[in-house]
Amino acid sequence: MTDKIISVKNLVKKFGTFTANDNLTFDVYKGEIFGFLGANGAGKTTTIRILCGLSSPTSGELKVAGFDVYRDAEKIKKNIGYMSQKFSLYEDLTVTENIQLFAGIYGISRKVRKEKEAELLKKLNLEEAKNKLIGGLPLGWKQKLAFSVAIFHDPKIVFLDEPTGGVDPVTRRRFWDLIYEAANNGTTIFVTTHYMDEAEYCNRVSIMDAGKIEALDTPANLKKMYNAKDMDEVFVKIAR
Amino acid sequence: MITINNISKSYNKTEALKDISLNVNRGELFGLIGADGAGKTTLMRIVTTLLLPDSGEAKMDGLDIKKDFKKIRHIIGYMPGRFSLYQDLSVEENLQFFATVFGTTVEANYDLIRDIYYQIEPFKNRRAGKLSGGMKQKLALSCALIHKPKILVLDEPTTGVDAVSRKEFWEMLKKLQQKDITILVSTPYMDEAILCDRVALLQNGQILDVDSPTKIIEKFQRKIFQVRSDNMYQLISDLRKFENAESVFAFGQFVHFTGINDSVKADELDKYLQSLGHKNILVEKITPGIEDVFMELMEGSRSFQSQ
C-alpha cells in the first residue's frame, strides 16, 4: 500500500473568521480502510465535502484519485462513491429503481447495469424484495443496499459518513463485512464513525480536534503511543 | 414509578410493541436498549402520553396514561430523539418559554440545570438553530428539566454524538439521578447499557430480557473466545469456514468466536489457524460483555422467528 489515492497538503478552510480546517496534511493509500475520527464540530464534514469536490479549500494542495480538487472537481465526483446515514437512497423508489437511478447518474450502460444488478440482488438476498419501496425495508437492509449502490460504478474511493448510526450490533458487523470485502477488492474506504470499536477495524486512523489532526497512525501504534487499552481511551485522551 | 402492563401497539400491519410489561423503580436509571425499529420510541411516546396504546395499561407515579394525561405532563420531562426546540428562539428564550409553559421560572429551578446550562450560557443569545450538536443536546436537556420533573424520559440522547460528549452526558445523568429524578433512557450503544441500573433489551417490539447489566451477563453461559491474527479480513472469513463455528463477529481489535454447543477448544482453533498460515495468532477464552449477550439473544430470537 504505497500508491497515494488521496494527498492533502496544508489544507486550510475558513468560513469568515472561523477556521474549520487548520493546515491539514495527510495521505490515504490505495485499498486502505482509513478512519477519519473526531468530536462533533471538529471539522470532519468540512474536509469530506472538500475531498468530494463539493466545496473549495481556502488554500492547500489536494489530489483525489489523481485529480486536482480546484480544477477537476467534476472528474473527482465520477471517481468516488458517497454514503451517509442521513442521505443514501430514495425512500419512495423501489430497490431496483434506486439502483437504476444511481447507475444512470454515473452513466453505466444498460447491459452492464442489468448484469451487476442481478448479481447484487442475489448477493444481498434482495431478489424477492426488488420491487418493494425502500421506505418499507428494515434499516439494516437499507444500509447494505446504500453501500452497494455507492460502489456500483466501481469508484476508486468510497466516503462513508457515519454509515452505521443507530443499527443493532449484529447488523453493524454485517455491514463491516461488506466494507472489508470492498477494501479487499481494492476500493479505498474513507470512513467516519462514533463507534470506537469500529476504529479498530481501520488500517489507519486520524483523530481531529478543533480543526487539526492531532494523531494519525495504525490503531496498534496509537494505543502504544497513548498508553491506552483500546481506541476509546485514545480518543478520550485526545479529544477531551 | 413507571408501571407498564401488557402494552401493545400496531401501525397498520406493523406490530411495534407486542404485549410489553415492565416496571421502573423510583430513582432508577433505566435503559431501553435496542436498535432502530425495536420499539423504543413507541414505548416512550406512550408513557409520555403522546400516543395511545391499542391495549394495555401504564402508570407514571400512580397516574394513568389515559385518564390523567394532563397531570402526567406536569411531572415528566421528555427529550425526543429529534431536536424539537424552537430554532428561531435564542437559547435563553427557549428556556424561558418552557419554564413559563409549566408555570414556573428559570430562577426557581436554576439549581437543577446549573451544571448543564452553564456550559451553553455564554451562547444564550444565539438562536437554537445555530447551535452545534452537543450544545443543542444540552439545551434540550435543560428545557426538559426546567419544571423539575419527577421522571425524565430521554429518547436516544446520544445518537450521533461523539465518544467524549457521550461520556459527559452520562455523567450528567448520574448527577440528576442523585437529585431524586427517575430516568428512562434509550440507546443503541451497548457500552451505555452498562451504565444503567437496569436495562430492558428490546427487539422487534418484544423484551428479550430485563435485569441489571451484571446479572444479564452472569446469566449468559456461553463460551466465547477472542481471536486475533495479522490479517483481520482473512481471519473472519477463515473462522466462519471452521466446521463447528456458530458465530464469528469482529469486536474491535479481536474477533469473537462461539462454537456450536460450546464444543470448540482453544488449541483446536489455534491449530486450524496455523494450518492456514495465520501469523501472530492469539486465542483466549473471555468473559462475555453485554454486547456479546445482546447479539446472542438477538440471533436466538431471529432464528426462532424464521422457523
Side-chain angles (χ1 to χ4, degrees):
Chain A
M1 288 201 284
T2 47
D3 297 349
K4 287 177 195 171
I5 192 97
I6 298 176
S7 117
V8 177
K9 271 185 209 146
N10 309 112
L11 164 62
V12 174
K13 176 71 182 181
K14 290 185 179 170
F15 297 103
T17 54
F18 177 71
T19 307
N21 284 174
D22 191 356
N23 205 19
L24 306 185
T25 297
F26 65 94
D27 296 319
V28 178
Y29 302 111
K30 192 174 180 298
E32 180 173 48
I33 302 179
F34 188 85
F36 196 61
L37 312 186
N40 300 115
K44 302 189 298 286
T45 305
T46 302
T47 314
I48 291 178
R49 287 179 54 84
I50 291 169
L51 293 176
C52 290
L54 298 172
S55 162
S56 283
T58 306
S59 62
E61 279 174 52
L62 291 92
K63 275 192 168 180
V64 177
F67 301 107
D68 184 277
V69 294
Y70 298 94
R71 285 195 306 270
D72 293 322
E74 292 311 308
K75 283 183 187 153
I76 289 176
K77 287 177 197 165
K78 282 183 190 157
N79 282 281
I80 60 167
Y82 175 81
M83 171 198 168
S84 87
Q85 189 196 341
K86 290 184 194 92
F87 170 77
S88 41
L89 300 168
Y90 289 90
E91 299 265 308
D92 43 11
L93 293 183
T94 66
V95 171
T96 35
E97 283 167 349
N98 265 288
I99 297 175
Q100 284 166 17
L101 175 67
F102 281 88
I105 289 170
Y106 285 108
I108 294 168
S109 74
R110 176 179 291 245
K111 187 168 162 280
V112 174
R113 191 253 296 158
K114 279 193 170 164
E115 276 168 29
K116 289 190 76 174
E117 182 183 312
E119 208 178 295
L120 176 62
L121 292 173
K122 198 174 167 205
K123 182 176 139 196
L124 296 181
N125 264 325
L126 279 172
E127 281 159 314
E128 281 176 27
K130 69 177 183 181
N131 293 320
K132 286 195 177 148
L133 295 182
I134 292 294
L137 295 181
L139 186 66
W141 292 21
K142 277 189 219 172
Q143 283 180 326
K144 282 188 203 167
L145 182 64
F147 178 72
S148 307
V149 166
I151 60 169
F152 198 77
H153 58 296
D154 294 318
K156 292 181 177 138
I157 311 161
V158 61
F159 291 89
L160 307 172
D161 197 357
E162 287 178 43
T164 57
V167 302
D168 68 70
V170 175
T171 307
R172 204 152 67 77
R173 286 173 174 81
R174 297 217 189 280
F175 187 83
W176 270 88
D177 288 346
L178 289 181
I179 296 182
Y180 272 128
E181 190 191 312
N184 209 47
N185 293 336
T187 310
T188 305
I189 315 279
F190 191 99
V191 60
T192 73
T193 178
H194 289 312
Y195 289 96
M196 288 305 123
D197 59 334
E198 295 184 347
E200 308 265 5
Y201 309 158
C202 302
N203 297 108
R204 287 189 309 145
V205 167
S206 88
I207 300 178
M208 258 180 105
D209 187 40
K212 292 190 168 117
I213 291 183
E214 293 295 334
L216 199 179
D217 214 322
T218 63
N221 286 345
L222 287 174
K223 282 181 276 184
K224 222 176 280 170
M225 218 182 294
Y226 288 89
N227 191 23
K229 68 175 189 311
D230 52 27
M231 283 303 293
D232 191 51
E233 225 179 286
V234 173
F235 187 81
V236 170
K237 280 184 178 170
I238 290 173
R240 188 170 249 179
Chain B
M1 197 69 176
I2 305 176
T3 55
I4 297 168
N5 289 318
N6 308 103
I7 292 273
S8 293
K9 177 74 189 177
S10 296
Y11 301 107
N12 297 322
K13 280 180 197 161
T14 314
E15 284 183 275
L17 294 174
K18 302 168 192 166
D19 199 26
I20 296 273
S21 297
L22 63 91
N23 294 311
V24 177
N25 301 322
R26 185 175 171 161
E28 207 167 27
L29 176 51
F30 192 96
L32 291 178
I33 316 296
D36 237 62
K40 306 189 299 285
T41 299
T42 301
L43 188 59
M44 288 190 156
R45 290 177 62 85
I46 288 173
V47 297
T48 49
T49 76
L50 299 172
L51 190 66
L52 284 171
D54 297 336
S55 60
E57 287 176 356
K59 283 184 175 163
M60 301 288 269
D61 193 24
L63 300 167
D64 185 273
I65 51 158
K66 286 178 207 162
K67 289 202 297 278
D68 308 317
F69 70 94
K70 281 190 180 164
K71 284 182 193 158
I72 289 180
R73 290 177 187 181
H74 280 279
I75 63 153
I76 60 167
Y78 173 52
M79 184 172 152
R82 193 173 289 180
F83 183 69
S84 9
L85 301 180
Y86 294 92
Q87 312 256 5
D88 292 340
L89 293 186
S90 71
V91 167
E92 196 177 28
E93 285 164 346
N94 264 293
L95 196 60
Q96 275 166 357
F97 174 81
F98 281 92
T100 312
V101 164
F102 283 103
T104 180
T105 59
V106 174
E107 294 72 32
N109 295 314
Y110 189 75
D111 235 23
L112 191 62
I113 60 161
R114 185 190 291 128
D115 287 350
I116 305 156
Y117 189 64
Y118 91 93
Q119 301 175 54
I120 47 171
E121 213 160 12
F123 311 98
K124 65 181 181 184
N125 295 320
R126 191 178 288 187
R127 280 198 282 172
K130 298 278 180 199
L131 295 175
S132 75
M135 290 201 281
K136 276 184 183 168
Q137 182 203 38
K138 286 181 182 115
L139 177 60
L141 183 60
S142 301
C143 290
L145 282 168
I146 197 62
H147 59 297
K148 207 165 191 229
K150 289 182 181 173
I151 304 171
L152 190 59
V153 179
L154 309 166
D155 193 358
E156 294 204 19
T158 54
T159 294
V161 174
D162 68 72
V164 171
S165 306
R166 290 209 284 129
K167 284 198 174 67
E168 287 173 357
F169 192 82
W170 277 85
E171 283 161 16
M172 288 191 283
L173 291 190
K174 291 276 181 191
K175 278 189 195 160
L176 289 172
Q177 199 189 358
Q178 304 297 318
K179 293 177 180 165
D180 197 26
I181 296 175
T182 306
I183 303 172
L184 179 66
V185 57
S186 67
T187 178
Y189 291 97
M190 298 296 138
D191 55 346
E192 295 181 347
I194 293 289
L195 304 170
C196 300
D197 298 320
R198 284 193 308 143
V199 295
L201 301 180
L202 244 75
Q203 190 189 12
N204 297 326
Q206 285 169 312
I207 292 178
L208 301 176
D209 201 359
V210 184
D211 219 326
S212 71
T214 11
K215 287 216 177 98
I216 286 180
I217 294 170
E218 271 170 24
K219 278 188 269 184
F220 186 74
Q221 296 292 337
R222 299 298 304 269
K223 190 159 98 181
I224 292 184
F225 293 107
Q226 63 177 20
V227 188
R228 192 173 64 193
S229 83
D230 281 353
N231 187 338
M232 194 74 163
Y233 176 68
Q234 199 57 43
L235 179 67
I236 293 176
S237 76
D238 284 342
L239 284 172
R240 290 207 171 124
K241 286 179 204 142
F242 188 74
E243 60 173 340
N244 282 321
E246 182 177 307
S247 78
V248 176
F249 287 113
F251 262 81
Q253 54 187 317
F254 300 102
V255 175
H256 285 191
F257 176 96
T258 328
I260 293 168
N261 299 326
D262 295 328
S263 58
V264 179
K265 293 189 182 74
D267 57 337
E268 240 181 295
L269 277 182
D270 197 42
K271 265 183 213 154
Y272 169 74
L273 292 172
Q274 272 184 38
S275 73
L276 291 168
H278 283 272
K279 295 275 179 308
N280 290 319
I281 302 165
L282 172 98
V283 180
E284 72 188 346
K285 188 174 174 283
I286 51 155
T287 319
I290 190 94
E291 193 154 6
D292 291 298
V293 182
F294 187 55
M295 286 169 68
E296 165 82 15
L297 290 170
M298 277 178 62
E299 291 287 271
S301 69
R302 227 176 240 175
S303 52
F304 178 72
Q305 278 162 1
S306 62
Q307 273 164 13

